[in-house]
Amino acid sequence: MPLLKEKILIVDDSYEMLELIQRYLTKRNYLTYKASSVIEAIEVLKHNSIDLLVTDFYMPELNGTELLKYAAEHFPSLPKLVITGMPSIENAINALKSGALDYLAKPFTAEEFYLAVENSLIRAKNNQILSSEGKLSLPEENNYAGIIGYSKQFKKLIDTIQRVKNNTANVLIEGESGTSKELIARAIHYQGTRAKMPFITINCGGIPESLIESELFGHAKGAFTGAAESRIGLFQAAHMGTIFLDEIGNAPMTVQTRLLKVLQEKEITKIGSTVTEKIDIRIIAATNNDLSQMISKGTFREDLYYRLNVVNIKTAPLRDRKEDIIPLAKHFISKYCSEYGRPEVVIDNKASEILFRYKWPGNIRELENIIQRMIIMSDNKISVENIPEHLKYHFSENIEPLKSLKEFEKEQILKILNAVGNNKTKAAKILQIDRKTLNQKLAN
């Protein structure tokens, strides 16, 4: 049976809307409470630990504004999401002023609702992290060998590392640049039984092709011009430890062939020698290339791919693990304030919201560089003024571009028409306008 997630209270005077939202949330394993009035909702809040309040704006007797004010006074850390069938800029502003983290207009799709719920929960967690005093001290389960996170992707990654750290299975780490692939490789090595033995990193694209075989496998005296003495390679140096082959997709075909032989036979032959040497190493490879495409183009050996890919780890880009953005930011703030001998700075909510919505094409590496720059350019607080300009004016895929009031109005009219089967009489009633006005707005 799947584990239940957060507890969510739904407040709406419409029985149909309560049932619809409950179905949405139950499908995602959230535990739900329902209330059809503000009075009922307050009773639920008093007697239960609620993780998110989802409330309608307009209800008979006491409306959603009163509930938001009550929740803000008595449960200040409780995240709040407002839904309404009468969208307006004024309502949106009032909802946000009353402490709501998001505002969603009816009718909405299941995916739009899920996104609003998830973002509200993530933002609430971020605000709790930002409001914590003193230096960041993450619980052990959120900081594993320097890998920081709260997201489900983080938890899945740590579970995989725990399973592979004490065996000799080869590991292939795939993911975009800046997603901490080397940090993951180091965690596998240093948390496992080989921790006291060598961990050697090789950038397969950083060594000239003419030298890479000698660097990896060593050479015998006189093997080529300039080989004045025999020399061991990096594979022999890593005996009993771990070799990390970074950017394995950039390895030349000749090296791929030699690597395959090493993996198959667990032995090394130096260049210019006929003597083989047994080695005991674990190989972890990483790439930001699509190796499947390279195989189809004939630039990467399929047999080598299957030898390396015994355990596959796919690193998630930062834009897909938003829960981790603010914890990582605070981690880097602590790191660089300590490095620069400065008191720890704080980051305000407006600045954190910009970090949260940015897509981070450079992933964790880009976030670290941005934080480092902002610490240098700020005093005791990181605010919007310290955020680089390209972050301020960037909108992620989940954030709609700014629209004119006319565009927003027409979009809402079309949404409502679609929800009522294109019945203009019903749509006009919901919008509280007459059919003539509705037709005029559609024609513009």
Side-chain angles (χ1 to χ4, degrees):
M1 183 178 177
L3 293 174
L4 291 173
K5 295 184 181 179
E6 291 85 351
K7 298 174 183 176
I8 299 178
L9 170 59
I10 318 157
V11 188
D12 200 301
D13 61 318
S14 165
Y15 175 80
E16 291 80 7
M17 183 56 67
L18 284 175
E19 290 296 307
L20 175 65
I21 293 177
Q22 185 177 47
R23 283 200 302 273
Y24 284 166
L25 293 172
T26 303
K27 283 182 181 178
R28 294 288 176 97
N29 299 320
Y30 291 107
L31 182 62
T32 59
Y33 296 80
K34 294 187 293 184
S36 58
S37 70
V38 171
I39 300 299
E40 278 185 53
I42 289 173
E43 287 303 308
V44 175
L45 289 171
K46 282 180 179 177
H47 299 101
N48 298 276
S49 176
I50 300 298
D51 298 303
L52 175 64
L53 169 63
V54 179
T55 181
D56 191 13
F57 211 62
Y58 290 105
M59 290 181 286
E61 299 175 5
L62 296 173
N63 64 27
T65 306
E66 299 303 319
L67 179 57
L68 290 172
K69 287 178 181 176
Y70 175 88
E73 289 174 5
H74 295 84
F75 307 96
S77 62
L78 174 65
K80 297 167 276 290
L81 167 63
V82 168
I83 55 175
T84 180
M86 299 180 187
S88 71
I89 292 173
E90 182 183 358
N91 286 346
I93 292 170
N94 288 337
L96 296 174
K97 280 183 177 178
S98 300
L101 293 177
D102 212 339
Y103 177 88
L104 191 62
K106 302 175 188 175
F108 43 77
T109 66
E111 286 307 313
E112 287 172 334
F113 181 69
Y114 291 141
L115 182 62
V117 166
E118 288 167 8
N119 281 345
S120 293
L121 290 167
I122 293 169
R123 283 171 173 151
K125 189 178 288 184
N126 288 344
N127 288 342
Q128 289 173 6
I129 293 167
L130 288 169
S131 63
S132 62
E133 296 180 0
K135 291 195 173 183
L136 176 65
S137 181
L138 286 170
E140 186 178 335
E141 64 267 24
N142 300 119
N143 186 345
Y144 185 93
I147 306 171
I148 307 295
Y150 283 80
S151 64
K152 61 185 178 184
Q153 293 94 333
F154 165 82
K155 292 170 186 172
K156 183 179 178 182
L157 170 64
I158 302 311
D159 179 68
T160 303
I161 293 173
Q162 291 280 64
R163 290 175 183 276
V164 303
K165 66 181 183 178
N166 293 325
N167 57 56
T168 59
N170 296 328
V171 178
L172 178 62
I173 307 172
E174 297 180 285
E176 296 177 10
S177 294
T179 51
S180 300
K181 293 189 287 294
E182 183 171 346
L183 189 61
I184 293 167
R186 289 182 179 276
I188 293 170
H189 175 79
Y190 287 108
Q191 298 299 310
T193 53
R194 294 178 179 250
K196 294 182 180 179
M197 305 311 290
F199 177 88
I200 294 180
T201 298
I202 300 167
N203 185 337
C204 296
I207 303 173
E209 189 171 346
S210 58
L211 298 176
I212 192 167
E213 285 194 76
S214 172
E215 289 289 323
L216 295 183
F217 311 117
H219 60 257
K221 182 178 180 180
F224 50 83
T225 304
E229 57 185 8
S230 181
R231 180 181 171 186
I232 67 168
L234 294 173
F235 271 76
Q236 294 99 316
H239 182 59
M240 301 298 291
T242 300
I243 281 275
F244 176 52
L245 300 172
D246 199 10
E247 303 302 343
I248 186 66
N250 294 333
M253 268 294 179
T254 53
V255 173
Q256 290 182 36
T257 303
R258 289 289 298 269
L259 279 174
L260 182 63
K261 187 176 180 182
V262 170
L263 289 169
Q264 288 172 333
E265 300 175 8
K266 303 292 184 184
E267 59 186 27
I268 292 290
T269 304
K270 291 179 181 176
I271 295 173
S273 173
T274 57
V275 179
T276 60
E277 303 173 44
K278 287 289 182 184
I279 56 167
D280 176 8
I281 57 170
R282 159 182 242 153
I283 294 181
I284 303 176
T287 182
N288 60 6
N289 295 319
D290 186 333
L291 295 186
S292 298
Q293 277 193 1
M294 293 183 68
I295 290 168
S296 64
K297 292 176 182 177
T299 56
F300 197 85
R301 290 189 62 130
E302 186 174 14
D303 44 6
L304 176 59
Y305 173 77
Y306 289 118
R307 284 282 181 177
L308 292 172
N309 196 28
V310 177
V311 176
N312 184 275
I313 295 176
K314 283 188 167 61
T315 59
L318 195 52
R319 63 182 172 274
D320 290 343
R321 37 182 289 213
K322 284 180 173 286
E323 299 98 317
D324 299 338
I325 292 173
I326 300 304
L328 280 164
K330 284 204 74 174
H331 171 74
F332 293 134
I333 287 170
S334 292
K335 173 183 175 180
Y336 287 106
C337 284
S338 174
E339 190 173 306
Y340 298 149
R342 292 183 52 181
E344 190 163 316
V345 302
V346 297
I347 178 168
D348 69 25
N349 286 340
K350 288 183 179 178
S352 74
E353 184 65 24
I354 293 172
L355 299 184
F356 178 81
R357 78 177 187 214
Y358 183 59
K359 280 176 64 176
W360 299 106
N363 293 296
I364 298 170
R365 187 182 297 130
E366 182 184 11
L367 175 62
E368 181 173 3
N369 290 343
I370 292 291
I371 293 295
Q372 186 178 5
R373 185 191 316 171
M374 290 193 300
I375 288 172
I376 293 169
M377 302 306 294
S378 65
D379 295 320
N380 61 345
K381 179 185 282 190
I382 294 173
S383 59
V384 174
E385 290 73 24
N386 307 121
I387 300 271
E389 293 300 311
H390 73 280
L391 266 71
K392 294 180 190 177
Y393 304 112
H394 173 91
F395 291 93
S396 74
E397 291 173 350
N398 294 326
I399 303 294
E400 292 185 0
L402 296 174
K403 298 175 183 176
S404 69
L405 183 58
K406 185 177 177 181
E407 289 174 316
F408 179 77
E409 184 181 62
K410 189 164 185 178
E411 184 180 280
Q412 293 304 316
I413 290 171
L414 292 171
K415 243 184 183 181
I416 291 169
L417 273 170
N418 184 57
V420 297
N422 213 35
N423 186 318
K424 290 185 179 180
T425 302
K426 284 186 178 179
K429 187 176 180 181
I430 293 170
L431 291 163
Q432 296 185 336
I433 58 177
D434 56 39
R435 280 194 57 147
K436 183 180 177 183
T437 305
L438 176 62
N439 287 327
Q440 286 173 345
K441 290 181 180 294
L442 287 171
N444 290 336

